[in-house]
Amino acid sequence: MSEFVANESRGKPLIFIIDELDRCRPNYSVLLLEQIKHFFSVPNIVFVLSIDKTQLGNAVCGVYGSEKLDSNEYLKRFIDIEYSIPEAEKGKYFEYLYDYFDYDTFFKSAERNRYSGFEYDKDKFVLTGKMFLGNLTLRQQEKILAHTRITFRTLNYDNYLIPTIFIFLVYIKMIHERFYSALSNKKLSIIEIQEEFFQIVHPFIDDDNKSLCVEIEAYLLKFYENFKSEHKSRGHSEIIGWDSTENKDVLKIDSKIDNNLFLKRLTNGKLSQDYSDMKLSYFLSKLNLTDNIKIN
């Protein structure tokens, strides 16, 4: 190697780039580190390791069977100079993936734009997506948006999307699988759903996202109730009822976020009319890819 570098590199270093070493089997990662160490003394050979240092440190501790091992000191044997890549600005990677998966082909298609009521779907999709996906790893974001793009293939151009609930469901499918499974199997009460929902969205609630989170709460409970129960009349609803004395809609349960916004969402034109009979199974069948996928 020393001769090769001296004779062939024209005075430039020979650089080996090793990526994702932390994602390999722990014993393989450590073995490779030990092997490349033999080349460190060769002039003009440089190794660049692209790693998650914390994960690689855990692998080292696992291989040597000791949590007390100072993995930082161990890795210093191999790393002379260390650089940390700064976190990407929140939402930037979502924007990149949105373009990469060409979502505009769906949202801006001439066929879909012939129908009224869908004109704000893109804005709601981006807003909700950035809220839920912004704190996930890059791989998690890519996995969720790749899966979502496939599910859009099950939608006819005149189908409702309702991006807020759609993104929430695909998010919990990937990140909170137990809750998603319980929803799919109708194993939860309305109150249990509210509790679980609030635990998930609580970190996202602020002045900017409060209304969006209430909207998801209203859709989730209404569509789940339709999915679980065959009763169609408002009198049987666990969520909302009619006060004949006051001649107005009233809540039977309190919102976990804001009662006034919750009631408005439940009684607005979309949820009380257009979406009144929609079931959660409409979305689940698409996310589970049990609907037909259109081939154009």
Side-chain angles (χ1 to χ4, degrees):
M1 289 295 294
S2 184
E3 283 184 27
F4 174 82
V5 174
N7 297 329
E8 303 294 335
S9 68
R10 300 177 184 178
K12 296 180 180 180
L14 176 62
I15 300 175
F16 293 88
I17 299 176
I18 302 177
D19 190 19
E20 297 191 331
L21 187 61
D22 52 281
R23 292 175 62 81
C24 298
R25 295 191 316 274
N27 58 337
Y28 178 85
S29 301
V30 173
L31 177 62
L32 184 60
L33 283 173
E34 297 286 359
Q35 288 175 333
I36 65 176
K37 189 175 186 296
H38 295 299
F39 296 96
F40 288 178
S41 60
V42 179
N44 278 335
I45 287 186
V46 177
F47 287 87
V48 178
L49 307 179
S50 174
I51 59 172
D52 180 327
K53 192 177 178 184
T54 300
Q55 291 301 322
L56 188 57
N58 292 337
V60 170
C61 291
V63 169
Y64 286 100
S66 174
E67 294 182 358
K68 296 181 180 179
L69 176 70
D70 190 334
S71 59
N72 273 328
E73 286 300 316
Y74 176 87
L75 291 174
K76 283 180 181 179
R77 297 166 54 197
F78 311 98
I79 301 173
D80 295 320
I81 302 173
E82 182 177 339
Y83 296 94
S84 295
I85 298 175
E87 291 286 339
E89 183 182 338
K90 188 175 180 180
K92 285 294 183 183
Y93 194 60
F94 179 93
E95 293 173 1
Y96 164 77
L97 291 174
Y98 181 93
D99 292 335
Y100 178 81
F101 290 117
D102 194 18
Y103 275 94
D104 275 348
T105 296
F106 174 80
F107 284 115
K108 295 186 176 181
S109 65
E111 294 88 346
R112 188 165 177 83
N113 285 331
R114 290 206 308 264
Y115 300 95
S116 61
F118 301 152
E119 59 270 19
Y120 300 113
D121 278 2
K122 174 184 175 177
D123 293 340
K124 279 291 184 70
F125 179 84
V126 171
L127 183 65
T128 310
K130 284 185 176 181
M131 181 180 76
F132 281 119
L133 275 58
N135 293 326
L136 299 181
T137 67
L138 304 187
R139 287 189 180 89
Q140 287 173 322
Q141 292 185 56
E142 183 173 0
K143 184 177 181 180
I144 288 174
L145 286 178
H147 183 85
T148 304
R149 190 66 182 92
I150 293 172
T151 65
F152 280 16
R153 300 285 291 174
T154 70
L155 290 169
N156 292 318
Y157 289 115
D158 61 346
N159 283 166
Y160 287 119
L161 172 61
I162 317 182
T164 49
I165 188 65
F166 203 98
I167 285 288
F168 174 75
L169 289 172
V170 73
Y171 171 76
I172 64 170
K173 177 179 173 65
M174 300 296 182
I175 307 300
H176 300 276
E177 296 180 56
R178 182 191 57 79
F179 181 41
Y180 182 85
S181 177
L183 283 174
S184 301
N185 294 313
K186 307 179 185 180
K187 291 184 176 180
L188 300 175
S189 68
I190 293 294
I191 299 301
E192 288 172 330
I193 290 175
Q194 272 197 304
E195 293 291 342
E196 189 79 24
F197 164 80
F198 186 69
Q199 292 301 315
I200 292 171
V201 303
H202 181 260
F204 304 107
I205 300 173
D206 57 25
D207 290 340
D208 293 329
N209 295 327
K210 181 179 179 181
S211 178
L212 186 65
C213 291
V214 172
E215 180 178 324
I216 297 170
E217 180 185 23
Y219 286 154
L220 178 64
L221 298 185
K222 176 65 175 177
F223 296 157
Y224 181 80
E225 185 174 56
N226 289 345
F227 175 44
K228 190 175 182 180
S229 174
E230 295 301 319
H231 298 299
K232 299 298 180 182
S233 66
R234 178 170 291 182
H236 291 287
S237 174
E238 298 178 55
I239 306 168
I240 191 170
W242 180 258
D243 186 333
S244 56
T245 304
E246 297 289 335
N247 200 33
K248 65 178 183 180
D249 294 297
V250 292
L251 293 175
K252 290 186 175 181
I253 59 173
D254 288 329
S255 166
K256 287 293 183 180
I257 306 170
D258 186 293
N259 274 346
N260 290 329
L261 289 175
F262 188 51
L263 183 59
K264 287 179 181 178
R265 285 297 180 187
L266 288 169
T267 57
N268 72 14
K270 287 291 186 182
L271 198 48
S272 64
Q273 298 174 22
D274 298 350
Y275 308 152
S276 60
D277 295 323
M278 187 168 283
K279 297 179 175 63
L280 201 66
S281 53
Y282 169 83
F283 302 96
L284 299 177
S285 64
K286 299 183 186 308
L287 292 175
N288 296 334
L289 299 179
T290 53
D291 264 6
N292 292 326
I293 297 179
K294 304 190 302 296
I295 303 298
N296 295 330

